[in-house]
Amino acid sequence: MANSNLAAAIHELYLVADSLSAGDDEARATVHEAIDLLDRGAERVAEIDPDTHQIVVNEWLREAILLLFRLSHITTTTAGPFEYADKLPLKTGYVGAGVRAVPGAVARWGSHIEPGVILMPSFVNIGARVGGDTMVDTWATVGSCAQVGRRVHLSGGVGIGGVLEPPNAVPVIIEDDALIGSRCMVTQGARVGEGAVLGEGTILNPSIPVIDGETGEELSRGQVPPWCVATSAMRRRELRGGEFFLPCVLVRRWLEPGERHDKARLNEVLREAGVSA
Ligand SMILES: CC(C)(COP(=O)(O)OP(=O)(O)OC[C@H]1O[C@@H](n2cnc3c(N)ncnc32)[C@H](O)[C@@H]1OP(=O)(O)O)[C@@H](O)C(=O)NCCC(=O)NCCS
């Protein structure tokens, strides 16, 4: 089916989702066609418009993912001594096509992983996309529909939030060349710009202010600008109940476009040697 017809068919199914069930083979075949497009990387849930730099969400593909859960039975599968019960199969056929996956790495069907990616024991959910030469380090999770660029480093334990619902919500975007420090949480449609370095333990969501440490100016909420080094910080808030310190993200310094931060360079050296940082 042409993609525009498929998009219309998916949207029609989505409108009557409540009446569908796992036994509906025709609807399931239509939905599988859409998920296969995601899996092959032929379509993506969200992308950055090259002219406006705004995020464009292809809502019909996210609808397809939601429908997939409704139209799938739970089946039991085994892998060695492990046993699972799930509605979705794992992704297949991508390892060896330039992707290195360490035991314990899990990617679900409908995610797309470009050649050159290294998956340490980690999880990549349906609808997510991981760009070439990106490192997904140990216990990092890439949530549903999150769009991770090329040459990104998601350090150990990073949580990239999944955004499947509500409709119209924007997925998390990590642009090319970003370094996300250990145990950061980037959720609910937050965005990290190209080449940005996020210090360990930073929480970024669309309510968290991003502040220029030099000027005190609030640059955005939930969006770290490109080519900067930003860390977690606290801002004082006077509330009726007293004085509190709420998290914010502080831009500590600006990088030249294309400049690699010293510590990001260190990670590249380790990666070339086949070691995770
Ligand atoms: C955030 C980071 C880029 C800062 O490095 P840097 O630019 O060399 O800066 P410095 O180490 O000189 O620290 C600058 C300031 O930021 C503070 N800072 C550093 N890391 C921080 C963090 N994670 N959260 C909050 N503040 C932090 C320092 O205390 C220092 O404060 P000061 O100016 O008041 O003295 C660096 O710590 C980093 O790369 N973090 C990610 C590392 C990572 O997770 N790697 C992968 C696995 S090892």
Side-chain angles (χ1 to χ4, degrees), residues 46 55 57 62 144-147 159-166 168-175 185-192 204-208 220-224:
I55 299 164
V57 182
R62 190 158 49 183
S144 46
C145 304
Q147 307 287 305
I160 303 296
V163 179
L164 257 183
E165 290 186 286
N168 301 322
V170 174
V172 173
I173 306 277
I174 311 291
E175 295 186 37
M185 280 186 275
V186 184
T187 59
Q188 298 182 55
R191 178 171 176 177
V192 177
L204 183 71
N205 73 29
S207 313
I208 302 275
S220 75
R221 295 229 163 188
Q223 301 202 3
V224 171

Side-chain angles (χ1 to χ4, degrees), residues 7-261:
I10 292 288
H11 187 60
E12 293 209 345
L13 286 173
Y14 187 72
L15 294 177
V16 296
D18 286 347
S19 66
L20 298 173
S21 67
D24 193 330
D25 292 341
E26 202 179 317
R28 200 168 61 222
T30 306
V31 167
H32 277 216
E33 206 176 318
I35 305 295
D36 269 330
L37 290 173
L38 289 175
D39 195 76
R40 293 201 306 272
E43 289 284 353
R44 57 194 300 168
V45 173
E47 54 205 315
I48 298 171
D49 183 307
D51 298 324
T52 63
H53 299 284
Q54 297 302 305
I55 299 164
V56 180
V57 182
N58 297 313
E59 205 57 62
W60 67 279
L61 289 158
R62 190 158 49 183
E63 290 171 354
I65 295 173
L66 292 168
L67 285 166
L68 181 66
F69 285 96
R70 178 160 281 277
L71 291 166
S72 300
H73 292 287
I74 288 181
T75 52
T76 304
T77 52
T78 58
F82 300 105
E83 184 178 3
Y84 306 100
D86 196 7
K87 289 187 164 194
L88 305 189
L90 294 178
K91 188 170 177 61
T92 54
Y94 67 106
V95 178
V99 174
R100 186 154 76 87
V102 167
V106 174
R108 268 173 143 185
W109 175 54
S111 60
H112 185 66
I113 297 170
E114 290 185 346
V117 167
I118 299 176
L119 298 179
M120 298 305 286
S122 57
F123 185 77
V124 182
N125 209 345
I126 186 166
R129 192 166 166 126
V130 182
D133 298 322
T134 283
M135 160 75 90
V136 183
D137 223 325
T138 303
W139 304 139
T141 53
V142 183
S144 46
C145 304
Q147 307 287 305
V148 177
R150 299 194 166 129
R151 299 172 300 279
V152 167
H153 187 147
L154 302 180
S155 306
V158 160
I160 303 296
V163 179
L164 257 183
E165 290 186 286
N168 301 322
V170 174
V172 173
I173 306 277
I174 311 291
E175 295 186 37
D176 294 348
D177 296 297
L179 186 156
I180 311 297
S182 302
R183 264 65 187 179
C184 285
M185 280 186 275
V186 184
T187 59
Q188 298 182 55
R191 178 171 176 177
V192 177
E194 189 180 358
V197 177
L198 211 52
E200 301 92 323
T202 304
I203 297 176
L204 183 71
N205 73 29
S207 313
I208 302 275
V210 178
I211 297 168
D212 186 330
E214 285 293 312
T215 63
E217 183 195 352
E218 182 177 310
L219 300 171
S220 75
R221 295 229 163 188
Q223 301 202 3
V224 171
W227 304 109
C228 71
V229 177
T231 63
S232 172
M234 294 289 167
R235 65 196 169 105
R236 194 170 47 222
R237 297 275 282 130
E238 304 275 355
L239 302 181
R240 224 178 315 156
E243 189 184 54
F244 297 90
F245 291 85
L246 299 186
C248 63
V249 173
L250 206 54
V251 173
R252 300 298 312 250
R253 68 190 174 94
W254 296 95
L255 300 168
E256 289 299 319
E259 181 185 346
R260 296 298 273 160
H261 185 273

